[in-house]
Amino acid sequence: MLDATLKTQLKAYLERVTQPIEIVASLDDGAKSREMHDLLREIASLSDLITLREDGADARRPSFSLNRPGRYQPALCRHPHGPRIHLAGVGAAASRWPPLQGERRADRTGRRAQG
């Protein structure tokens, strides 16, 4: 999934990780979930300090959270499961920044904004 250059760069970055990180994936049977699972598994394989759990219960799927194993402290985080990353709707247009002239994007309020 990751090309060799990106994988090498990510591995070098992950060598700086000093504490365990747990990736908790909330997946379904869809193609995007399978793609996310493959990506997360590949990322987890780059460091002994990163583990992947596939038993996430978030209703928004596919998504994943980044946690410290056994160190969840709800008082320090507004979301009950820690920071979450949702990739639903991410496609080629979402990866371009700034948007192409005339392309429409949603602003922070969720309304469509002229790009």
Side-chain angles (χ1 to χ4, degrees):
M1 172 154 274
L2 297 174
D3 67 40
T5 303
L6 184 56
K7 195 171 184 175
T8 301
Q9 291 172 350
L10 184 57
K11 185 171 178 69
Y13 176 77
L14 293 175
E15 287 173 359
R16 297 178 181 184
V17 173
T18 59
Q19 298 179 11
I21 297 172
E22 186 175 71
I23 302 172
V24 181
S26 297
L27 306 169
D28 56 24
D29 294 330
K32 291 294 183 185
S33 285
R34 287 190 298 275
E35 187 177 340
M36 180 185 289
H37 178 259
D38 292 344
L39 175 64
L40 296 176
R41 189 173 50 207
E42 191 167 358
I43 291 169
S45 75
L46 298 176
S47 173
D48 292 336
L49 292 174
I50 299 176
T51 57
L52 174 61
R53 284 186 26 213
E54 302 167 16
D55 60 348
D58 195 286
R60 292 171 285 191
R61 295 168 186 252
S63 66
F64 64 93
S65 64
L66 302 176
N67 305 315
R68 288 188 182 167
R71 304 267 291 171
Y72 169 64
Q73 297 176 341
L76 301 177
C77 182
R78 292 182 185 177
H79 193 280
H81 304 293
R84 297 212 51 84
I85 295 86
H86 305 280
L87 299 179
V90 174
S95 66
R96 288 192 304 270
W97 191 260
L100 300 175
Q101 185 174 4
E103 186 176 42
R104 296 176 55 85
R105 304 224 24 144
D107 65 12
R108 288 182 162 215
T109 64
R111 293 183 298 241
R112 300 295 279 176
Q114 186 66 33

